[in-house]
Each structure stands twice: as C-alpha cells, then as structure tokens.
Amino acid sequence: MISWSYTSIPSLACAGRLTWKAKGYIYTNCETRYAIRRRRLLEKSGLGPQRIQFRPQLVFGREGVRGYATINNDIDTDLAGRIDRIPVSRYRNFSIVAHVDHGKSTLSDRLLELTGTIPKGSVGQFLDRLDVERERGITVKAQTCTMLYEHNGEDYLLHLVDTPGHVDFRAEVSRSYASCGGALLLIDASQGVQAQTVANFFLAYSLGLELIPVINKIDLDHANIPRALEQIETMFELDSDTAIPVSAKRGTNVETILPAVVERIPPPANNIEKSLRCLLVDSWFDTYLGVILLINVVDGVLKRGDKVISAHSRKRYEVKDLGILHPDRKPMPHLKTGQIGYAVLGMKTISEALVGDTIMHFGNEVEALPGFEEPQPMVFVGAFPAEGIEFQTLDERINQLVLNDRSVSIQRENSNALGQGWRIGFLGTLHASVFQDRLQQEYGASLIITFPTVPYKVVWRDGQETIIRNPDDFPDPAIQKAKVKDLLEPMLKAIMSFPQEYLGDVIELCENNRGTQVDMTFLSQGNQVLLQYLIPTSHLVDDFFGKLKGLTKGYATLDYEDAGYQSAQLVKMQLLVNGNSVDALAQVMHRTLAEKRGREWVKRFKKFLRAQLFETVIQAAIGSKIVARETIAARRKDVLAKLHASDITRRQKLLRNQKEGKKNLRMIGKVTIPQEAYQGFLAKGEPN
Ligand SMILES: Nc1nc2c(ncn2[C@@H]2O[C@H](COP(=O)(O)OP(=O)(O)OP(=O)(O)O)[C@@H](O)[C@H]2O)c(=O)[nH]1
C-alpha cells in the first residue's frame, strides 16, 4: 500500500518514480488524470482514508501496472503518539554530502527501506522525484524524510535532510545543512573524491557538522577503497578508521550506517520552552494545497491553527496543515522543537516562501534566525515567442513553470527585433541550462532564447552602483567616459578534478577563459588533480563545462563558488543590420575578446540570413566603432536576360537603373530577418 505523493502529472503519462514488483504487477506511485480527479472528489467529500484501484491499467512494456493509493487526511494517532514519546535527545538530523552520481539517492532509498519507511524492494529512487532531474541524473529539488529507527530498544527520530547536489542551489544547501547535526560524507570508491565532494564538504564543515565518511560502490570491480580512505585522511583530515564501506545498490553493510548516525551525530540543541522559531528550509508548489514549506522547528512548538508571522516579509498566516514527510506527507497535530516537517500556511505563490526566513508566533515575535539571504540570480536569458506564436499564450504557460520554481525570476521585456518577451534569471549555470532544456522540451521551436548573460556592476562617478542584468542597458562608451568610475564583472572560483594527463589542456582552457590559478593539488595514489581557478562567470556560463568535458574525455568534474565582483575592461557589443541594432543579440564582454567575437558574429549571422532584395550590411559595433563587417549581396534579378549581347549602351543603362533602384530600396527597405536566423545564430553548432 502506498501513500500518495502529490506529484502533479498533467497527463496519462506515468511518472513511475516509485515502482516495485509484486505478484506479477508493477506497483507505482504514478497518477492518472482519472485518479487525480477521483482523489480530488474524495478529498472534497472529506472521507477518511480511501483505497483506490484505478483503471485503465497502464502498461509498461509487457507487464500490467496497477496503482493503489491511500488518501490520508486523518492524523495517524499511533504514529503521532510514538513520535511524541521520543525526547529531543533522541532526534538526529543529518544530510548526505556527495558528488553527483556517487549514490546519494540510492543510499537514501536504502535507509528508508531499512527503517521501514518505504517497502522493501523499492528500487526506484524515492527522494529524487522531478523528471528533468532524473534525465540529467541530478537532484535539483531537495526532498526530506522522517524515519523512525529502533536502536538498543529505544526509538529514535531521524530526519534525513536531502540537499540539491549542485552549488547553484547553495542557499538551499546551506539552509539544509544548517538544520543538521551531521552528515554522511559519501565517496564513490571507483572515482574517489571529486570537485563537488570537496565544495560540499567545506560548506558542511564550516557549519560545524559531524561528518561520517561512507565509501560507496565497493561492489564494483574497479573500486579502489584504499585510495578513498587515504583521501579521507589527507583531504578532509578525518579518521579513515571511522569510514564505513558500503554498496548502496546491493545493500551491503548499509545497516551499519544508522547505528553510527545515532552514536556519532549530536541531537539538535533546541529548546521546547522558548518562543517559536522555525527556519524555512525549502518550499514547493502543490496544485491542491498551494505552497508547502519545509521547516525546521528550532525552538518551541508549532500547531495547526496557530497564527504565525514571517520575520522578513512581515506577512501573517494561519497554520492550515502540518506534519512529517514519511516519505509522503503525514499530517500531525504539531511539530516540536528539533523536528523537520512540512507546513501549509496558505501562501499563494512560491515567491512568498523565502528560504532562510524565520516563522514565529504572531504577537510573540523574537529575534529572527541568522543566515537569511535573498537569492540573487546569477545568469539571465531573454526568451521571445517565435513567429506566429502569441505572447499571451506562452506568457501564462511560462509563468506557470516559474510558479513552481522559486529560484527562477521572470520579468517582461521588449525587444525591437523580437518583440515582447521575458527576461528570466537563474541562480546558477546548471540551473539555467536545466530550465532552458525544460523550456526547449516543452515549447521547442516556439521560443527564441538569447545568449546567457551575467549581471555586471556599474560604479558611477557619484558613488552610486547599478547592477546591469540586460546588456541593452549597459552604458555606451560616451556615457562611460562621462559618468562611469568603474565596471565590474562577477567571478567564480571553479574547482575542477580530472586525470593528470589532461592538466596541460585544462590549464590552457582556463587561461583562454581569462582564468587566474588559485590552487593545484595532486590527489595521492590516484592520478587525479584538483585544480582551482578564478574565472569570470560570463565564461563559465558559455559552455565551459561542455568544453572541459570534451577536453578530458568526460572525466572532469566541476564545481564552483561565488567569488564576488572584479574590475574589468568591459564593452557592449551590438550587432547591426543595415545600421539598425538587433537589441536582443547585444552582449557585454571583455574588451580583448571584442574583435575576434565581432568577426565570428558577423560571419555567423551572414550564414543564417537569407539574401534580401537589396544589399545587406551586417556589422559588429562597440558604440560607434565598427569592429567587423560582412555584406550580403542583393538577390539579383537578371535584367539583361532578354538583351542582345552586342548592345553595350543599353546593357549599361539597364545595370545603372538596377543599381539606382536598389539604392533606394536599401534606404527605405527594412531587412526582414527570419526567425530561423536568430534561432540559428543563437544555437550551438554550424548551419547546414
Ligand atoms: N555498482 C554500484 N552502483 C551504484 C551504487 N550506488 C549507486 N549506484 C549507481 O550509481 C548511479 C548514481 O546513483 P544515484 O543514487 O542516482 O546518485 P546520486 O548521488 O543520488 O546522484 P544525484 O541524484 O544526481 O546527485 C546509479 O546508476 C546507481 O544505480 C553501488 O553501491 N554500487
């Protein structure tokens, strides 16, 4: 029997996130439209737990699929009572620190299985729900779970706080870590320590987490356990004797992890007597309930019906529902200090849920918890409807997509070349590309997406500072000369790990991307090197990872940290077609790159722009300075076709007339730039 997870699946397609076989059927937590409708009716009718067997049966391959759902609006009093009897000293909040693909989701599933939270044999990765995540093999959205675990005859309440694997979501990662007393430091025995292990380790370490090293994938032939043990000692200065070797996939030795969690990770140092303070760790949108918050009750007790207030937005709410994630939502009468669970406060949009915010009792407001930061988008793209697609139709759908993703910001934008569109901001490069893929998948040819750009900082002579998010707003050379004191670009510290044989190539790549070396460490025993470079963000978003992967035959891993702003000689380059700027294509770049890029741009745009009735001039310009130029000759009508070869004067006259006519046409004519030209120009790769 499964409890429903409220994944909103818009069609009959099956998400198939949690599947297992029994009695010849595959059981799954998939949901059909039919089931969604039925569940909604049941919920409305206020009936208690219901068992639904829905038809039509979906077919996966040759096997029939049946789904069962338990709709549980009632509080499971047995479970609530059992939890209430556990003192905070027997709570353990922990996370898993790992590089992507090192087996975090598989291990999490095993732990859920071991504690009976999900049925045995649930091979699907339960904590890893979003589809795009799965396709890309990355965890974007954190999913947390409460487990009850019996150790030496006593019940323990364990909260496994899942974190997004990537540093793009650093605010979420650090809020998740801040809710934990410790973490499992998971290392793939076949790969050893990788870039992300290092970055996430330092984040967890700086937050004072107790770390338990776990070496995974020991079942693989090429597993190198001694190397992983040595790395644990040398890189993290942790005692390798305390490391736990496991195979999450096969379940080998996984049972020794939870006793270590109980014995080595401290309980939360919270206080039930104090006034309520809840840390907002994460949030997501549910079609039926609106915004659901993941909260860590740091002090006090939160109950249904409580009147609460947000420390940062000062908005007031009433607790409509709350409970634990076990692994799906289980309503509870209250959440006590030290517990991590969900709460529904009736927020309408995800933008109201500020990660790191403190929720307090209204009328009993105390000091907010530290560490609140407004998320700052790091990458922006412009998106415009392609020809024949109505703005309004897409506007609704794109806003819907954003509604579900707090880390995406959206603003309307107008371009003289591409019309009305949107400027979309993302927290990081990976996030931008995941979202772009999602847009591409869903809207395909109906969208034109511009080059990613980063926010530049302008320091004016009068001391004011402006962040420029749209290249079109970047000051022209004349204004720069008169009013600008300094121009700054955002920087990142890139942490890369790869086999030593590629060192020369990778250094060259970093240097070509205006990088400055910060550190280089040779990882002992293996032939890996860990290289750290300070690189402008604009270069990192320009498919740096793709190039790095290409150079290292896919062996490199990359992670990065924010490294603030640095002064740079920046210019705005524009693409002009017959003297008119194509605003959506403007880009800010370092002065040293302008000429080369300019030449590439005009060549590339020429390839995609069909010949017009008149001569077309494509230029790349910085202010009034033209850095590159290409010309497309007019489509020529053969005016001499019917003429006798010897009639020279007549021939010259016809040609002269044609030339004159064209001149006029160019002056009055407007170049029609087909959408394919933009799409082709902005896409990667060469034209056919
Ligand atoms: N052989 C072997 N494979 C494993 C083991 N643990 C995980 N894997 C495989 O490694 C791959 C990645 O595992 P995941 O659990 O998705 O890794 P992850 O760290 O959660 O990855 P993200 O969710 O992308 O961060 C999957 O194909 C797993 O089946 C193990 O102990 N042995």
Side-chain angles (χ1 to χ4, degrees):
M1 184 92 72
I2 323 157
S3 286
W4 277 109
S5 70
Y6 283 70
T7 42
S8 45
I9 300 150
S11 69
L12 266 174
C14 181
R17 278 268 123 152
L18 169 64
T19 56
W20 66 92
K21 282 186 191 175
K23 292 182 188 163
Y25 283 101
I26 296 174
Y27 289 83
T28 170
N29 71 341
C30 70
E31 207 166 4
T32 61
R33 247 188 206 153
Y34 168 73
I36 292 172
R37 221 177 301 133
R38 188 152 171 205
R39 178 158 56 78
R40 204 185 291 170
L41 285 174
L42 283 165
E43 281 176 349
K44 268 194 185 156
S45 70
L47 292 173
Q50 296 290 328
R51 194 164 184 251
I52 303 173
Q53 182 178 0
F54 56 78
R55 291 187 183 85
Q57 293 192 346
L58 303 169
V59 177
F60 271 8
R62 263 173 282 138
E63 284 163 289
V65 175
R66 261 200 319 206
Y68 290 93
T70 310
I71 298 166
N72 194 349
N73 285 327
D74 296 343
I75 292 168
D76 180 340
T77 42
D78 288 350
L79 184 65
R82 195 174 159 197
I83 291 175
D84 268 350
R85 286 191 291 278
I86 305 173
V88 185
S89 59
R90 279 194 259 126
Y91 287 7
R92 297 292 182 272
N93 300 348
F94 69 104
S95 213
I96 302 178
V97 171
H99 182 77
V100 66
D101 268 355
H102 279 197
K104 190 172 66 152
S105 307
T106 314
L107 181 63
S108 303
D109 287 354
R110 284 283 167 223
L111 299 180
L112 299 195
E113 237 180 40
L114 269 172
T115 51
T117 317
I118 56 171
K120 275 224 157 2
S122 310
V123 281
Q125 290 165 9
F126 202 86
L127 295 178
D128 215 355
R129 291 180 193 170
L130 264 172
D131 261 7
V132 180
E133 282 173 29
R134 198 175 33 174
E135 273 162 31
R136 292 202 143 212
I138 47 164
T139 310
V140 173
K141 196 90 204 128
Q143 300 283 345
T144 292
C145 187
T146 300
M147 299 177 274
L148 281 129
Y149 175 61
E150 206 187 308
H151 180 63
N152 293 340
E154 287 183 312
D155 263 350
Y156 281 80
L157 191 70
L158 310 181
H159 295 115
L160 171 56
V161 185
D162 189 23
T163 58
H166 203 274
V167 282
D168 274 11
F169 306 91
R170 193 167 279 275
E172 290 178 22
V173 177
S174 63
R175 293 289 58 85
S176 304
Y177 286 171
S179 304
C180 295
L184 305 175
L185 178 67
L186 189 68
I187 299 167
D188 180 333
S190 65
Q191 290 192 2
V193 168
Q194 299 282 305
Q196 223 176 318
T197 328
V198 178
N200 283 330
F201 164 81
F202 283 118
L203 188 59
Y205 184 78
S206 66
L207 290 163
L209 267 61
E210 177 68 36
L211 291 152
I212 302 174
V214 176
I215 300 173
N216 190 27
K217 307 199 187 180
I218 56 166
D219 58 297
L220 290 174
D221 288 343
H222 50 288
N224 187 343
I225 304 172
R227 177 185 65 185
L229 289 173
E230 206 209 316
Q231 290 178 339
I232 287 167
E233 292 258 354
T234 52
M235 300 200 60
F236 305 130
E237 296 179 7
L238 296 171
D239 183 0
S240 62
D241 289 344
T242 62
I244 306 171
V246 301
S247 165
K249 192 167 180 179
R250 299 206 176 152
T252 321
N253 207 28
V254 179
E255 69 287 352
T256 57
I257 293 179
L258 291 178
V261 166
V262 165
E263 281 154 24
R264 285 155 62 180
I265 293 178
N270 311 33
N271 193 338
I272 200 158
E273 305 301 332
K274 280 194 183 170
S275 304
L276 177 79
R277 286 200 298 178
C278 302
L279 177 72
L280 204 163
V281 181
D282 195 5
S283 66
W284 60 97
F285 191 80
D286 181 277
T287 335
Y288 307 104
L289 296 175
V291 178
I292 302 180
L293 309 179
L294 179 71
I295 52 161
N296 170 19
V297 185
V298 175
D299 294 315
V301 182
L302 183 68
K303 293 194 281 297
R304 271 151 204 278
D306 278 0
K307 304 264 187 300
V308 293
I309 183 163
S310 141
H312 292 281
S313 72
R314 310 301 303 164
K315 284 193 182 148
R316 285 189 245 158
Y317 303 96
E318 185 182 316
V319 181
K320 301 207 177 319
D321 185 15
L322 55 72
I324 58 169
L325 296 157
H326 187 61
D328 290 318
R329 287 196 318 273
K330 291 259 164 66
M332 288 285 136
H334 53 248
L335 285 175
K336 284 193 302 188
T337 181
Q339 276 192 277
I340 298 172
Y342 75 89
V344 178
L345 306 185
M347 289 180 178
K348 295 277 179 301
T349 63
I350 213 96
S351 57
E352 284 178 65
L354 311 163
V355 167
D357 196 358
T358 307
I359 307 289
M360 300 177 282
H361 274 142
F362 175 63
N364 187 12
E365 291 152 47
V366 280
E367 197 184 329
L369 295 160
F372 175 74
E373 275 171 42
E374 279 288 354
Q376 296 296 337
M378 209 176 83
V379 188
F380 295 87
V381 293
F384 298 90
E387 229 161 33
I389 309 286
E390 270 208 33
F391 174 82
Q392 286 307 342
T393 345
L394 274 184
D395 191 44
E396 215 167 278
R397 283 153 69 186
I398 284 179
N399 275 298
Q400 202 62 34
L401 219 65
V402 174
L403 199 67
N404 265 322
D405 202 335
R406 185 170 24 80
S407 34
V408 183
S409 60
I410 190 160
Q411 248 179 306
R412 286 200 179 178
E413 157 158 330
N414 249 315
S415 149
N416 65 14
L418 298 173
Q420 210 172 10
W422 309 266
R423 181 142 291 265
I424 311 177
F426 304 96
L427 288 184
T429 57
L430 172 101
H431 190 198
S433 70
V434 168
F435 198 88
Q436 272 184 57
D437 279 4
R438 201 183 294 179
L439 283 177
Q440 215 81 53
Q441 267 170 24
E442 294 194 19
Y443 306 112
S446 49
L447 264 191
I448 297 174
I449 300 173
T450 65
F451 291 130
T453 90
V454 300
Y456 293 96
K457 196 185 269 184
V458 179
V459 182
W460 304 95
R461 292 239 163 101
D462 63 5
Q464 304 255 33
E465 288 184 3
T466 318
I467 299 283
I468 304 284
R469 297 188 169 86
N470 185 344
D472 213 36
D473 301 331
F474 196 80
D476 285 329
I479 299 178
Q480 278 182 37
K481 219 170 168 187
K483 294 189 179 163
V484 173
K485 191 168 150 213
D486 203 2
L487 295 167
L488 299 104
E489 64 179 336
M491 303 293 291
L492 291 171
K493 185 165 90 179
I495 307 164
M496 297 155 276
S497 55
F498 49 86
Q500 272 178 38
E501 58 195 284
Y502 304 113
L503 183 60
D505 291 340
V506 175
I507 288 184
E508 195 181 328
L509 174 74
C510 295
E511 303 284 332
N512 287 343
N513 280 283
R514 298 178 38 238
T516 319
Q517 202 179 105
V518 180
D519 191 30
M520 180 157 63
T521 318
F522 292 93
L523 303 177
S524 48
Q525 281 207 20
N527 69 343
Q528 289 271 312
V529 58
L530 193 79
L531 189 64
Q532 302 193 25
Y533 256 85
L534 212 58
I535 297 179
T537 311
S538 56
H539 287 261
L540 230 89
V541 301
D542 188 19
D543 199 29
F544 181 85
F545 192 34
K547 290 172 200 155
L548 180 68
K549 281 250 173 192
L551 277 182
T552 57
K553 301 203 170 68
Y555 283 115
T557 60
L558 169 79
D559 209 322
Y560 51 81
E561 285 171 14
D562 185 10
Y565 276 87
Q566 196 170 297
S567 184
Q569 292 202 343
L570 302 169
V571 293
K572 172 170 81 177
M573 194 154 75
Q574 285 176 295
L575 192 85
L576 309 178
V577 177
N578 280 1
N580 296 316
S581 153
V582 187
D583 56 355
L585 301 183
Q587 241 195 340
V588 175
M589 62 188 72
H590 197 261
R591 185 175 294 280
T592 51
L593 299 174
E595 259 182 48
K596 184 167 169 274
R597 279 260 179 99
R599 280 196 299 275
E600 284 166 9
W601 272 23
V602 291
K603 273 212 173 71
R604 190 172 173 87
F605 203 70
K606 181 180 173 180
K607 280 187 192 166
F608 288 104
L609 192 63
R610 278 188 235 115
Q612 309 279 318
L613 278 174
F614 40 85
E615 184 185 77
T616 312
V617 179
I618 306 166
Q619 293 163 311
I622 300 169
S624 54
K625 188 177 162 216
I626 305 294
V627 289
R629 176 195 162 112
E630 284 284 335
T631 313
I632 305 179
R635 253 189 290 142
R636 217 171 150 189
K637 196 175 150 201
D638 191 0
V639 284
L640 310 177
K642 292 184 187 144
L643 195 69
H644 194 271
S646 60
D647 193 349
I648 288 178
T649 40
R650 174 108 184 104
R651 181 189 166 91
Q652 279 172 344
K653 189 173 170 220
L654 280 173
L655 284 175
R656 211 170 34 245
N657 283 350
Q658 190 186 34
K659 205 171 162 192
E660 242 354 85
K662 289 246 174 85
K663 214 166 158 187
N664 290 336
L665 201 56
R666 189 174 66 205
M667 269 151 56
I668 53 164
K670 193 169 178 304
V671 183
T672 36
I673 303 173
Q675 301 280 341
E676 305 93 79
Y678 295 117
Q679 269 162 335
F681 179 72
L682 290 164
K684 286 178 195 141
E686 285 307 303
N688 298 322

